[in-house]
Amino acid sequence: MGAESGDLNVVGAAQLARVTDRGGPRTGRSQGELDLLADGAVAVRGGRIVAVGTSADVLADWGEPGVATLDARGRTVLPGLVECHSHPIFGGERHDEYAERLGGATLAEVAARGGGIWSSVTASRATGDDELLARLERAYRRILAGGVTTLEVKSGYGLTVAEELRELALLEQSRALSPMRLVISFLGAHVVPRDIGAGDGGPEAGEAYTDLIAGEMLPAVVSQGIAEFHDVTVEQGLFTPAQARRLMRRGRELGLEPRVHADAWNSSEGWATAAGEGAVTAEHLTYTPDEEIHDVGATDTVAVVLPVAELIYMTDRRANARLLIDSDVPVAVATDYCSSIHATSLLATMAMAAPWFRLTPAEVIVGATLNAAYSLNLGGECGSLDVGKRGDLVVADCPHPNELFLAPGAPLLDQVVIGGRVIAGPGIVGPGIVGPGIGGAVAGA
């Protein structure tokens, strides 16, 4: 039995970060606990974890001949990373906007000359299926190389019934392009399209587009049967809290749980709206006031923070992830890969998130594994090294997970394992021992 069958033993880890699942996302002090185990091992059979413990204990029960073994001596083993916020399907390029902003242009000036999300909408509508799929494949390769084993992907650059259905269909088709597990979200309420109603983007246009989503778009998406979540924006000048609540409730009536884009550009009551409606997530939260976080208090809604977005958008405030954790809110960390942010490495984003938000390495790791998994309703499937979950893990070339945060951007990732199969790193074609390091040799057992 080899790794191609989903049978694998990972042994000898200097530190095994189990991030043990305790029945829900981590909050408060527990978000900073990794459940480390020295000389740790994981046994995977048929793609599922069957044992976790010390190397001696695991091999005593699961060290049968013929099972491929990955030697993690001197290395750290983490649960496979879970990327819970990405917009990978788009046409066109927006690098010029970032250069303009760095040169002093305002967001309003960039938008006035035709930039912003709307430029990606028009470009995406004009891009053919084959090109969009090719772009997805390139993005998936890079995202996987950053340690991601489960990836949330959003539509949202179509904003008509036909174009949103096309994007969702292409995202479904793209499952064949990567071994990562994809979770698909419908984001019709991304921005208000400029070509609806009078085309002025004012309140009447926002109400007209809300009517379209609720009356025609959501039923069509549900009938298509691809989307697993319904994402809604709460932002000044886009969708009001009342409009967002209407859309979330309509989506729930039709069977889609809500996610929320909240407070990315202004304080918009996005966090309170999302938590009040019991949304699975609220994502961004850059401008959520501290008073609002205090007023909402503890909640099951997962707060997804996006440090690279705040860096690229040059915001004058950062999401208060520290206060959210201290308020017993589960916090997840993601890249926000999209048309204007090409951050594909979640591992590098994690290294940035710790100093950006003043979080501990352990809090960030939990945010990119277990809490991110629960933000996708996949807590029972991934996000921790627990018996019964899918055999997803990453091996890093450092003896302790804290060291991942001392070398942002350094090539510390050795192997990515999905369902017991080594996807990135030295391949296993049969029984053998995989030595440490990408490109390492395979020796006969």
Side-chain angles (χ1 to χ4, degrees), residues 360-376:
T360 67
E363 288 171 331
V364 174
I365 290 169
V366 171
T369 55
L370 187 67
N371 282 6
Y374 272 100
S375 84
L376 301 176

Side-chain angles (χ1 to χ4, degrees), residues 110-198:
V110 170
R113 65 97 174 141
I117 291 173
W118 182 246
S119 68
S120 294
V121 172
T122 58
S124 299
R125 290 175 179 177
T127 302
D129 292 1
D130 289 345
E131 174 60 21
L132 288 174
L133 286 169
R135 284 170 167 260
L136 285 170
E137 185 172 24
R138 287 194 296 272
Y140 291 166
R141 285 201 308 269
R142 294 168 181 168
I143 292 168
L144 175 64
V148 171
T149 57
T150 297
L151 173 67
E152 188 257 8
V153 293
K154 305 178 191 291
S155 68
Y157 292 118
L159 308 189
T160 67
V161 175
E163 284 296 319
E164 286 297 310
L165 293 177
R166 178 172 82 112
E167 288 192 3
L168 291 169
L170 290 172
L171 289 171
E172 176 71 15
Q173 189 176 340
S174 76
R175 293 185 190 276
L177 303 178
S178 175
M180 294 184 294
R181 178 174 188 160
L182 302 185
V183 178
I184 300 174
S185 296
F186 160 60
L187 179 56
H190 193 182
V191 297
V192 178
R194 295 184 184 179
D195 55 0
I196 191 166

